[in-house]
Amino acid sequence: RAEVLRIARQAGAFVIEDDFVRRLVHADAGPLPRPLAADDPDGVVVHVGSLTKATSPSFRVAALAARGPVLERLRAIQIVDTFFVPRPLQEAALELVGSPAWPRHLRNLAAELKTRRDALTGALAHHIPELALAYIPSGGYHLWPRLPDGTDDVTLTGAALRAGVAITPGRPYFSAEAPAAHVRLSFAAVAGTGEILEGVRRLRAACDEVLRPRP
């Protein structure tokens, strides 16, 4: 963390801390690190947070925190449009985060995310062991399994869609050439663990088509 800030200062650059997943921590996660902006006295870090992911897709409320000259520049650029959040949305956000139900909601969210993550990782290990999970996250709502060597992520994504389950090829999420093929599996936009298990069953059919083609 200190090295990132040092390099940014020396280069005259800024660090964008996109911290939208902080409220999507899983129930078994350890203590969260402080935001990088908390250790930045020089105005190098621009911290971005959001209520959207932890509440509702239509609850489009975010916050930007910065200090020094960069804050004034950002304010001047954005004051015309995005800083004018509609008053009803502002009131709803204030009532939400100021309510005693807000911490309870976050605890329930953390528990449910862990339950869904465990359901997906367990089902993958049992039904599709070919998809390697090098890392199981303690936050967020995606898994990034690695595909067997020689497998094309776009091809598998198309086969999965034909089988009735939507996944995302991992290639566009790498800033450079990917070291291996991956897919992104989400466990948030489902009704519950039953849909997760059904999704893995359908993905198994897609893998049978792509990984072990029938003659």
Side-chain angles (χ1 to χ4, degrees), residues 2-211:
E3 184 71 359
V4 168
L5 293 177
R6 184 188 67 78
I7 292 171
R9 280 195 300 268
Q10 287 185 347
F14 297 107
V15 177
I16 308 301
E17 185 176 27
D18 188 7
D19 204 22
F20 75 96
V21 189
R22 177 168 291 267
R23 293 181 176 86
L24 301 181
V25 63
H26 300 172
D28 59 349
L32 292 179
R34 285 154 50 94
L36 192 62
D39 300 323
D40 167 41
D42 304 312
V44 170
V45 177
V46 177
H47 179 93
V48 182
S50 172
L51 293 177
T52 302
K53 301 295 186 183
T55 54
S56 167
S58 59
F59 198 65
R60 311 297 290 180
V61 176
L64 184 151
R67 56 168 60 91
V70 65
L71 176 60
E72 298 308 315
R73 288 173 58 187
L74 289 168
R75 188 190 301 275
I77 292 169
Q78 298 295 325
I79 196 73
V80 175
D81 47 17
T82 56
F83 277 7
F84 288 119
V85 180
R87 178 64 180 266
L89 201 56
Q90 295 185 52
E91 294 285 356
L94 183 60
E95 184 172 346
L96 173 66
V97 300
S99 166
W102 177 239
R104 184 169 64 250
H105 166 71
L106 294 179
R107 289 193 298 270
N108 292 339
L109 179 63
E112 180 63 21
L113 286 172
K114 177 184 180 300
T115 297
R116 295 182 179 206
R117 180 206 66 193
D118 291 347
L120 182 53
T121 55
L124 290 174
H126 183 72
H127 296 289
I128 321 178
E130 303 96 317
L131 301 187
L133 283 172
Y135 174 70
I136 297 177
S138 55
Y141 49 93
H142 296 130
L143 295 182
W144 297 88
R146 174 174 173 162
L147 306 183
D149 292 342
T151 306
D152 182 73
D153 55 346
V154 175
T155 300
L156 180 58
T157 300
L161 195 58
R162 290 191 297 274
V165 61
I167 64 175
T168 307
R171 194 179 313 171
Y173 296 94
F174 287 86
S175 58
E177 187 66 26
H182 292 74
V183 289
R184 188 184 76 170
L185 307 182
S186 173
F187 49 87
V190 293
T193 55
E195 286 192 2
I196 290 174
L197 299 179
E198 175 62 18
V200 171
R201 186 190 68 78
R202 297 183 185 189
L203 184 57
R204 173 71 270 175
C207 288
D208 288 342
E209 175 186 334
V210 173
L211 304 184

